[in-house]
Amino acid sequence: MQLNGVDIDDTFAEAFNMRATRVLITAQNLRWAYNAANAMTGFATSVIGCGVEAGIERELSEDETPDGRPGVSVLLFAMGSKVLMQQLETRMGQCILTCPTAAAFAGIESEDMISLGKHLRFFGDGNQISKQIPDATGKLKRFWRIPVMDGEFLTEETTGMVRAIGGGNFLVLGTSQAQVLTACEAAIDAMRKLPNVVMPFPGGVVRSGSKVGSKYPKMFASTNDAFCPTLKGAVKSELDPRVESVMEIVVNGLTFEDIAISMKAGIEAACSLGKENGILRISAGNYGGKLGQHHFKLRPILSGEVTA
């Protein structure tokens, strides 16, 4: 299978069950909403070392937010509910509470509700105020007003936690680092237009793809040598002589369909540069189907088959 002259491997991305939540962050203006959101989603590229994987989903206009101010929505993913709850509370306290004019609201409803500002209210040292306000359906929602030096920090008490998926991915292979990065940038621009997904790595792109295991006993992951161009003559390589750079895009989403749709958009955008601009092949990372619960098959996805 080819797309604009780019070879599409007959393979799949292997992804995992996760738990996720969405938080709506507002502020006096978008500059400060982004300051808060960037801090909250910082150091959140991989659960291997960061606890959660997180990113900014999209901007929110004034008519999309509970308090009528500009904002952004962020998604956070973790391997389990306990870790997600711990990370959310920590990041709320260190990144949103501290940010001038920022406020935080639930961004998703679920039967499983977790603390957003429920425990953070104690920062008010007894001076915090609780308000219950009905939503559009008449359901009462509790908010906390916590006194801080710039005025008040407003936060909803809880937000929803849902089942989600992390680890959808594809690899872009090309003749130079610059060309592959340009293709990845095009892919990320296309994927960021879609809801319910985030690409948690720096700029959405990973250069240090890994494999399970290592020659060093204490290392549980190491460089994906089969896709390292400089090792083509030293290891069993997956690369032909033309390939001089490989980069990966990892995507987490709320549903299988969300990830499949975003992967399709990203791959099509990357391939739009074509073989004439150095993009040779699209592949994906997996563990032989032995670890992840979800398999995203590249060719069916590009053919429009996005069912689980």
Side-chain angles (χ1 to χ4, degrees), residues 230-253:
T230 59
L231 299 179
K232 280 185 285 190
V235 300
K236 184 178 179 180
S237 180
E238 291 285 339
L239 308 179
D240 70 43
R242 301 170 299 164
V243 177
E244 293 298 335
S245 185
V246 181
M247 297 183 195
E248 180 179 7
I249 291 176
V250 175
V251 54
N252 294 354

Side-chain angles (χ1 to χ4, degrees), residues 90-101:
T90 299
R91 290 167 187 264
M92 278 286 295
Q94 296 301 307
C95 305
I96 310 302
L97 171 66
T98 59
C99 182
T101 78

Side-chain angles (χ1 to χ4, degrees), residues 14-303:
E14 191 167 348
F16 301 85
N17 289 328
M18 301 188 83
R19 291 297 186 100
T21 190
R22 178 189 282 120
V23 180
L24 310 183
I25 300 168
T26 69
Q28 178 174 296
N29 52 45
L30 274 176
R31 173 178 176 173
W32 285 99
Y34 269 108
N35 284 341
N38 284 327
M40 189 178 197
T41 58
F43 190 59
T45 57
S46 171
V47 294
I48 293 174
C50 306
V52 294
E53 300 175 4
I56 294 173
E57 180 186 18
R58 67 184 185 93
E59 285 185 10
L60 301 170
S61 62
E62 289 90 339
D63 58 3
E64 294 180 287
T65 61
D67 60 356
R69 301 191 301 170
V72 297
S73 63
V74 301
L75 292 171
L76 295 89
F77 297 79
M79 295 304 292
S81 56
K82 183 178 180 181
V83 175
L84 182 62
M85 289 187 285
Q86 291 173 337
Q87 286 281 335
L88 177 59
E89 286 200 337
T90 299
R91 290 167 187 264
M92 278 286 295
Q94 296 301 307
C95 305
I96 310 302
L97 171 66
T98 59
C99 182
T101 78
F105 304 95
I108 197 165
E109 291 295 325
S110 170
E111 292 182 0
D112 294 326
M113 301 298 289
I114 59 176
S115 173
L116 188 62
K118 183 177 182 180
H119 301 132
L120 201 56
R121 74 182 192 267
F122 296 117
F123 184 77
D125 200 26
N127 300 296
Q128 64 271 19
I129 300 172
S130 169
K131 293 287 185 181
Q132 283 190 298
I133 302 173
D135 63 15
T137 67
K139 177 184 176 182
L140 287 176
K141 305 184 80 173
R142 185 178 297 276
F143 298 82
W144 287 96
R145 296 166 56 189
I146 302 168
V148 287
M149 293 193 301
D150 79 338
E152 286 187 330
F153 170 53
L154 176 64
T155 177
E156 198 163 338
E157 183 169 79
T158 58
T159 188
M161 177 175 63
V162 298
R163 296 187 183 278
I165 301 172
N169 70 82
F170 60 92
L171 307 177
V172 181
L173 294 74
T175 57
S176 75
Q177 186 183 79
Q179 289 169 318
V180 171
L181 185 58
T182 298
C184 288
E185 289 172 344
I188 291 299
D189 287 345
M191 296 167 78
R192 282 181 172 161
K193 295 176 182 177
L194 298 170
N196 304 328
V197 295
V198 293
M199 288 63 69
F201 282 91
V205 185
V206 191
R207 70 170 179 176
S208 57
S210 61
K211 67 178 184 299
V212 176
S214 166
K215 65 180 289 185
Y216 303 106
K218 292 185 178 180
M219 293 284 292
F220 53 83
S222 57
T223 192
N224 191 1
D225 46 25
F227 283 89
C228 291
T230 59
L231 299 179
K232 280 185 285 190
V235 300
K236 184 178 179 180
S237 180
E238 291 285 339
L239 308 179
D240 70 43
R242 301 170 299 164
V243 177
E244 293 298 335
S245 185
V246 181
M247 297 183 195
E248 180 179 7
I249 291 176
V250 175
V251 54
N252 294 354
L254 298 184
T255 69
F256 186 98
E257 289 74 17
D258 290 328
I259 294 177
I261 291 169
S262 70
M263 286 178 61
K264 182 176 188 291
I267 293 171
E268 289 176 343
C271 291
S272 68
L273 278 73
K275 188 168 289 186
E276 65 273 17
N277 288 306
I279 306 307
L280 303 175
R281 181 177 150 208
I282 300 293
S283 191
N286 62 65
Y287 309 96
K290 299 177 181 178
L291 298 180
Q293 299 85 5
H294 306 278
H295 299 167
F296 293 89
K297 299 177 182 179
L298 298 187
R299 292 182 179 181
I301 284 174
L302 290 173
S303 298

